[in-house]
Structure formats: structure tokens, C-alpha cells
Amino acid sequence: MITVLSGGTGTPKLIQGIKEIYPEEEINVIVNTVENNYFSGVYVAADIDTVLYTFSNLINDETWYGIKDDTFITNERLAEIGTPELLRIGDQDRATKIQKTLLLKEHTLSEAVDIQRKNLGIKAKIIPMSDEHSEIKIETEEYGDIEFHDFLIKYQGQPTVTKVKYSEVNPSPDIIKIIQDSDKVIIGPSNPITSILPIISLKGVSEELENKKVIAVSPFIGTSPVSGPAGKFMSASGYETSSIGVAKIYESFLDTLIIDSSDDKMIEEIEKIIPNVIAANTIMKTINDKKELAKLVLNSD
Ligand code: GDP
């Protein structure tokens, strides 16, 4: 059994590879929840939905958001009647979000997601990192504290980030036990600051990871992330924007870091921080890239 720690883009790409070569019922995915919030009257747990759609082969894997070939009739109508949405939610994707919102009236988030994954025929366990509401704020030079989605969408990731702040929440009930029962924990190439740090900062998690084989894939190539704002968030949090910074964040429990082949000159430096470094192709474009990287992650110590 394995446990994967995930955000909503880099790690789901790796999961597409893992699920091709590893029994789905033996996969647990602990998913970041700090970016969850209500939008347009529905509860949006974007990273959780991306993982649900990844396992059910519904994912729009061009944007890594929502369902492929979705329509946007409700989204367009909302704009026409004068209430444009901040998040562009597709019609079928909105059904998932409405269902989750309704389930949350009587269930915890963990229970709601478990019902949804079973309805989608998913055998892997998908576990929200917390059942509690959390707040994430991006502190910027230009506008002070702004909402995470405003930073990404309204301000297009442009402001200078001085700090990333999120509230402390309790882990959801099964997390520690699931990590204990796993042979290996995989940290996919997700944003270390906004996707993974919130999970590993949960009470008891990093202590448990110290007792486990933990292998991570870096989301960086050279000094830039493959996509998104991880670089800005890493430097605002005091880390180098490269796989060296990633190794430092996971230093206390990480056994192996997979970095891109083009960064092989960093191996020596990273080996001073953590025990093992492997250089390989970490860019996941084709299903074959994803399977090859998944094989390496599953077979390395
Ligand atoms: P978010 O929740 O949408 O921010 O998604 P994640 O945190 O799961 O993933 C964002 C990270 O994925 C970014 O830092 C990217 O650099 C990384 N990423 C995206 N695609 C790839 C890829 O093909 N290879 C690697 N190594 N990293 C990737």
C-alpha cells in the first residue's frame, strides 16, 4: 500500500502513471484543502475534484481543472445576468460541486469525498488533509493580504509575494493511520509551499513520515517550476527556487528526491541535504513519461 501527498496539477499527472501500473485499491491520496472555499454558492475543493477526475478519467488534462469537454452554459448565463464568476466552473463540474455542498450539510468533508469517489467507481482512497475550514492568504507588496484565488486569477500571479500564510487546522481522522499502514509515501511534484507544506505541517504528520520511506519528485527544472507560482512562494518563504530548496523543505524526513536530468549538476549539493538523489526525466507530457516516472518512484527506496 502507498500514500501519495497531492495538490491539483503536478501530482495528479504522476497519479495518471501510478494508476496504470499499481493496484488502485492499494493507493491512498491525501489531498491539500487549504485552497477550498465557497464560490458562486458552491463548495469548491479544486484539488480534491482534480484527483477524483484523474482516477475516473474525466479530468481536463489540458488545464488540470474540471472535466474534459465540459460546457459552460451556467457560467455564461451568470455573466449575462450580471454576476460573473471569479472561477469559471463548467456545467458537469458544477454538478460535482453542488453534490459536495449538499453532502456537507450532513457529512464531514472526508465522508462527502468518500461517497463521491465510490459513486465514481474509484477504488483508491481519496482523503482530504483536514475536515476543517482553512484560510490561505498571499501577502503582497502591492496590495497587502489577498485571497489565493484572487492572486492567481484576478491578479494573474503578478504581485510581488512577501509571505504565504495559512491557518492551522487538525488532520482529518484517518491520515496518521493511513501513513502508518503504507509501505511508502510519495510526494508528487506539487507546489511545496501551498500544496505539500500544509499537509506535512499537520499535527503528527512529519513525525510519522520520519519512520517511513519517503520519495519526492521535484516540481522544479533549474530555477523555475514547470508551471505556476511555486518560485514566488518558495522565495517569499526563504527557500532557494530550485530542487535544492525543495530538498531543504522536506529535509527532516525525505529519503530520495527525483530531480530532472538537466539538473544533474545539483546532485552533489542536494546529497548534502538528503540521503539519495536520482536524476531522470521529470517532465510529464505523454502517458509514457508518466508511467516511466511512476515506475521509478515505485521502485526506488
Ligand atoms: P496546484 O494545486 O494546481 O497548485 O497544483 P500542484 O501543487 O499539484 O502542482 C503545481 C506544481 O506542479 C508546479 O509547481 C509545477 O512546477 C509542477 N508541475 C506541473 N507539471 C509538471 C511536470 O510535468 N513535471 C514536474 N516535475 N512538475 C510539474
Side-chain angles (χ1 to χ4, degrees), residues 15 21 24 53 67 77 96 117-118 159 171 176 195 200 206 225 232 236 250 258 269 287 290 299:
I15 290 172
I21 58 174
E24 195 180 298
Y53 299 151
I67 291 180
R77 185 65 189 149
T96 306
R117 66 107 187 162
K118 283 180 184 152
I176 302 291
S195 293
I200 60 186
S206 67
K232 280 191 170 187
Y250 303 150
I258 302 183
E269 190 64 31
I287 186 65
K290 293 166 188 170
N299 295 331

Side-chain angles (χ1 to χ4, degrees), residues 16-29:
Q16 284 184 323
I18 293 175
K19 78 186 186 68
E20 292 298 307
I21 58 174
Y22 195 82
E24 195 180 298
E25 60 278 12
E26 290 183 34
I27 305 174
N28 303 296
V29 187

Side-chain angles (χ1 to χ4, degrees), residues 6-13 32 35 47 64 148 152 189-192 194-196 217-221 224-231 260 282-285 293:
S6 185
T9 308
T11 306
K13 288 187 190 179
N32 170 49
E35 297 154 22
D47 291 357
W64 287 94
F148 182 76
L152 283 185
S190 279
N191 188 325
T194 48
S195 293
I196 304 299
V217 178
S218 174
F220 276 83
I221 311 266
S224 304
V226 175
S227 60
D260 197 70
T282 62
I283 303 263
M284 292 175 281
K285 287 212 173 90
L293 192 53

Side-chain angles (χ1 to χ4, degrees), residues 128-291:
M129 62 171 242
S130 179
D131 285 338
E132 295 174 6
H133 178 70
S134 46
E135 296 268 338
I136 180 163
K137 293 272 189 313
I138 308 299
E139 185 189 277
T140 66
E141 216 163 84
E142 296 86 343
Y143 310 103
D145 283 3
I146 57 177
E147 297 291 332
F148 182 76
H149 287 91
D150 283 339
F151 173 79
L152 283 185
I153 301 165
K154 187 167 156 198
Y155 297 105
Q156 298 283 303
Q158 292 300 321
T160 310
V161 179
T162 45
K163 209 173 185 181
V164 178
K165 309 187 233 185
Y166 47 83
S167 48
E168 224 175 87
V169 286
N170 285 305
S172 57
D174 295 340
I175 286 188
I176 302 291
K177 170 102 174 61
I178 272 166
I179 296 175
Q180 278 169 349
D181 291 348
S182 294
D183 303 311
K184 179 180 272 188
V185 176
I186 296 164
I187 303 180
S190 279
N191 188 325
I193 304 295
T194 48
S195 293
I196 304 299
L197 254 186
I199 304 177
I200 60 186
S201 309
L202 292 167
K203 199 163 176 276
V205 169
S206 67
E207 291 81 351
E208 212 48 65
L209 292 179
E210 282 170 30
N211 305 323
K212 287 284 145 187
K213 280 268 165 251
V214 184
I215 180 159
V217 178
S218 174
F220 276 83
I221 311 266
T223 54
S224 304
V226 175
S227 60
K232 280 191 170 187
F233 295 166
M234 296 260 291
S235 47
S237 308
Y239 293 101
E240 258 176 81
T241 56
S242 71
S243 293
I244 297 173
V246 176
K248 290 217 172 106
I249 296 181
Y250 303 150
E251 175 175 18
S252 68
F253 53 75
L254 191 66
D255 295 290
T256 302
L257 181 64
I258 302 183
I259 63 169
D260 197 70
S261 333
S262 60
D263 284 334
D264 56 355
K265 55 197 170 302
M266 290 183 197
I267 292 179
E268 216 176 298
E269 190 64 31
I270 302 176
E271 275 176 345
K272 290 182 194 152
I273 308 167
I274 52 150
N276 309 306
V277 187
I278 299 171
N281 172 38
T282 62
I283 303 263
M284 292 175 281
K285 287 212 173 90
T286 65
I287 186 65
N288 216 36
D289 297 336
K290 293 166 188 170
K291 268 163 64 176

